[in-house]
């Protein structure tokens, strides 16, 4: 049996927590896309773990797989594994030989391109982890796969082809002095100072990445993801696909170009693991919804309440010192929900729930169930509002228009619900769904109706014990 966890919005919906809640009954947890751009928070036995690459199942002693659809920075991988070991967790992590490798030059180029775009205010606000440049090389057939790290000759041959191209791109197109970067460092912690060596030097890269390959072999981490997972499923294992990011930053279904470079939507669980679509479709596909909306980075957000300078187009206020009533609300929700980046600590943009966005997400992934998080964060407000539809060119629109420019022109048609009082999350989780405040249930039932999908779980606090579970996918 499988279950797929997909972010329904713009990332940070609380996917890590839901993977953890359902993880008890999962035997294998698989990431199928993205890399260390994710930031998943898991609270287990009172301890908080922040993971960016290793699947959330790691803290619960599950088998964890990074599928072929992932881009893997080996340094992050081993740093996370080592850090977990220091905390007494010994994660079992397998990596697909077909996954692509993030090299230091990808991270440097990510920074260079963002910098160039920022001159016209067009930067995406990436995480700087080299995600886009690595997928670009994958599609351009000049990438290196994890399996290539274990063959020193292949590794050298491929690096000798690609590194001069990257160096020329940096120097000739962007006018960046790569040699200077070597001396002064760069946005990438992988560049120079930590023993990996200069980002654009074939010999240095070969030496360091060959060693990563040796460690992957030594620790018996390499798999053919499709075969490995098929064997597990044939043996009766429950497999959970842990999506990273979210539908609206999906490269195909998101608001291009303000997207990540992979497919967080459910189709990615098939292409990113080597399992057939019906294997994914046989199980539940659970859309993770935050009860309001947050966004990291640039791009439209029709239901935005309060901005973040540099991310919200045209906004130069101070999120910590709200001036208007809606900024005040955004500030209150940001504080109550701890809406600061898991990895970067930067404040997230905050807005009301966007229902056209969720209709689009439910269709793109075929949600069979929803997990709605942060119902506690909205508690205590007099009223809770959603963007029920948009008005575009004078017409009511029920889903997101395909171009980002048109989406930015959408005016939300708001619908207001009565608020609900504060309540004890652990008690509510214990007592079950019916014990939730009536107005909170009305809000959840509105969502069920609009998306024609049942609510499987409700997040009422950050801890594992603070989730109301109505239905389990396994
Ligand atoms: P992910 O990237 O989707 O896994 O989500 P993040 O971990 O980046 O962000 C979610 C944040 O919200 C984390 O700090 C979680 O601990 C927290 N969180 C998740 N669900 C809930 C909830 O229902 N209530 C509250 N108050 N916090 C939650
Ligand atoms: P989790 O899994 C929220 C955003 C970045 C940027 C865009 C592209 O924690 O939900 P990238 O570095 O991927 O090329 O950046 O995507 N982004 C995320 N936003 N949560 C995430 O992951 C994100 N991963 C990437 O902020 O706007
Ligand atoms: Mg996150």
């Amino acid at each position: 049996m499988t279950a797929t966890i997909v972010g329904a919005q713009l990332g940070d919906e609380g996917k890590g927590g839901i993977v953890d809640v359902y993880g008890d009954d999962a035997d294998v947890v698989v990431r199928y896309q993205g890399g260390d751009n994710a930031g998943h928070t898991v609270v287990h036995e009172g301890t908080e773990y922040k993971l960016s690459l290793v699947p959330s199942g790691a803290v619960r002693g599950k088998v964890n797989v990074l599928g072929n659809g992932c881009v893997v920075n080996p340094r992050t991988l081993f740093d996370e594994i080592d850090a977990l070991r220091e905390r007494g967790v010994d994660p079992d992590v397998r990596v697909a030989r077909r996954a692509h490798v993030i090299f230091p030059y990808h991270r440097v180029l990510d920074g260079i391109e963002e910098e160039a775009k920022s001159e016209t205010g067009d930067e995406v606000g990436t995480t700087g982890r080299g995600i886009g440049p690595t997928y670009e090389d994958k599609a351009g057939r000049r990438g290196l796969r994890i399996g290539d790290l274990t063959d020193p000759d292949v590794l050298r041959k491929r690096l000798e082809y690609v590194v001069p191209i990257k160096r020329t791109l940096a120097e000739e197109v962007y006018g960046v002095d790569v040699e200077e970067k070597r001396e002064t460092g760069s946005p990438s912690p992988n560049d120079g100072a930590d023993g990996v060596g200069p980002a654009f030097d074939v010999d240095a890269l070969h030496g360091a990445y060959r060693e990563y390959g040796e460690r992957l072999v030594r620790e018996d981490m390499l798999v053919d993801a499709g075969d490995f997972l098929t064997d597990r499923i044939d043996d009766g294992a429950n497999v959970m696909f842990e999506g990273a990011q979210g539908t609206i930053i999906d490269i195909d279904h998101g608001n291009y170009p303000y997207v990540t470079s992979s497919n967080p939507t459910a189709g990615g669980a098939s292409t990113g693991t080597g399992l057939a679509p019906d294997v994914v479709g046989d199980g539940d596909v659970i859309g993770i919804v935050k009860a309001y909306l947050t966004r990291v980075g640039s791009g439209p957000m029709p239901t935005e309440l309060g901005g973040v300078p540099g991310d919200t187009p045209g906004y130069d206020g101070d999120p910590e010192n709200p001036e208007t009533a809606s900024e005040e609300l955004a500030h209150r929700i940001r504080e109550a929900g701890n809406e600061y980046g898991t990895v970067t600590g930067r404040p997230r943009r905050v807005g009301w729930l966007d229902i056209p966005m969720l209709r689009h997400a439910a269709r793109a992934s075929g949600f069979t169930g929803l997990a709605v998080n942060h119902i506690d964060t909205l508690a205590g407000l007099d009223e809770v509002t959603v963007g029920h539809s948009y008005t575009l060119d004078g017409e009511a629109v029920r889903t997101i228009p395909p171009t980002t420019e048109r989406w930015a022109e959408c005016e939300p048609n708001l619908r207001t619900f009565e608020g609900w009082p504060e309540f004890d999350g652990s008690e509510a989780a214990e007592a079950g769904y019916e014990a939730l405040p009536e107005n909170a249930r009305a809000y959840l039932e509105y969502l069920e109706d609009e998306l024609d999908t049942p609510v499987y779980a409700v997040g009422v606090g950050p801890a594992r014990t603070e989730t109301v579970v109505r239905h389990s996918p396994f």
Side-chain angles (χ1 to χ4, degrees), residues 11-360:
D12 301 328
E13 299 91 348
K15 298 175 292 290
I18 295 295
V19 171
D20 190 43
V21 166
Y22 287 140
D24 261 349
D25 296 323
D27 303 294
V28 185
V29 181
V30 191
R31 286 266 317 259
Y32 54 88
Q33 45 72 235
D36 54 348
N37 49 346
H40 296 177
T41 313
V42 181
V43 183
H44 180 50
E45 290 176 353
T47 309
E48 186 175 83
Y49 300 89
K50 291 183 185 294
L51 301 169
S52 64
L53 183 60
V54 170
S56 304
V59 304
R60 311 187 61 75
K62 309 295 176 182
V63 178
N64 301 274
V65 179
L66 294 171
N68 56 279
C70 293
V71 287
V72 178
N73 184 330
R75 165 157 290 270
T76 311
L77 175 68
F78 289 126
D79 280 354
E80 285 197 1
I81 290 174
D82 291 345
L84 284 169
R85 282 188 185 150
E86 269 169 32
R87 295 172 77 176
V89 180
D90 192 14
D92 179 349
V93 183
R94 315 297 174 102
V95 187
R97 285 191 183 82
R98 290 186 173 92
H100 275 248
V101 182
I102 301 180
F103 282 93
Y105 54 81
H106 290 124
R107 294 181 59 133
V108 174
L109 284 163
D110 195 349
I112 290 175
E113 186 159 3
E114 283 282 279
E115 176 85 36
K117 283 183 171 175
S118 73
E119 284 171 22
T120 49
D122 291 321
E123 69 273 29
V124 175
T126 72
T127 59
R129 301 298 197 281
I131 305 297
T134 306
Y135 278 115
E136 209 180 310
D137 279 353
K138 171 180 174 177
R141 295 165 299 208
R142 68 183 88 82
L144 280 92
R145 288 169 154 191
I146 284 289
D148 297 336
L149 301 182
T150 64
D151 184 331
D153 294 337
V154 171
L155 176 61
R156 179 167 290 281
K157 191 163 165 257
R158 297 212 199 287
L159 285 172
E160 280 176 351
Y161 175 73
V162 73
V163 172
I165 296 175
K166 299 289 142 181
R167 177 183 279 265
T168 306
L169 178 66
E171 291 181 338
E172 304 296 327
V173 177
Y174 291 105
V176 172
D177 187 342
V178 168
E179 293 305 322
E180 191 178 292
K181 277 204 173 299
R182 185 196 300 222
E183 282 160 24
T184 59
S186 79
S188 163
N190 282 0
D191 181 20
D194 61 1
V196 174
F200 294 81
D201 181 309
V202 171
D203 285 338
L205 293 171
H206 187 264
Y209 281 72
R210 179 183 174 165
E211 273 180 36
Y212 287 136
E214 286 166 3
R215 184 167 171 189
L216 286 163
V217 171
R218 202 167 54 242
E219 301 198 12
D220 196 19
M221 292 170 70
L222 297 174
V223 290
D224 175 326
D227 282 348
F228 181 83
L229 294 170
T230 300
D231 287 348
R232 292 295 173 289
I233 291 171
D234 287 347
D235 289 345
N238 287 332
V239 175
M240 178 167 286
F241 302 110
E242 176 179 13
Q245 287 83 49
T247 305
I248 306 303
I249 51 176
D250 180 293
I251 187 142
D252 285 286
H253 306 292
N255 69 130
Y256 193 90
Y258 303 107
V259 293
T260 191
S261 299
S262 66
N263 288 123
T265 44
S270 172
T271 52
T273 59
L275 294 170
D278 64 323
V279 177
V280 176
D282 265 353
D284 271 308
V285 177
I286 304 175
I288 314 301
V289 177
K290 188 179 275 188
Y292 47 94
L293 189 62
T294 58
R295 171 158 214 163
V296 180
S298 326
M301 189 170 172
T303 58
E304 185 162 17
L305 281 167
V308 171
D311 286 348
T312 305
Y315 179 81
D316 63 358
D318 176 4
E320 302 304 318
N321 289 299
E323 288 184 2
T324 64
S326 73
E327 284 177 354
E328 185 75 52
L329 252 173
H331 183 257
R332 177 174 169 170
I333 294 172
R334 186 180 295 118
E335 293 302 308
N338 189 25
E339 295 298 352
Y340 293 89
T342 302
V343 180
T344 57
R346 72 201 231 226
R348 294 171 179 157
R349 298 164 66 185
V350 173
W352 291 128
L353 195 59
D354 185 322
I355 306 295
M357 174 187 286
L358 293 179
R359 292 189 189 104
H360 173 74

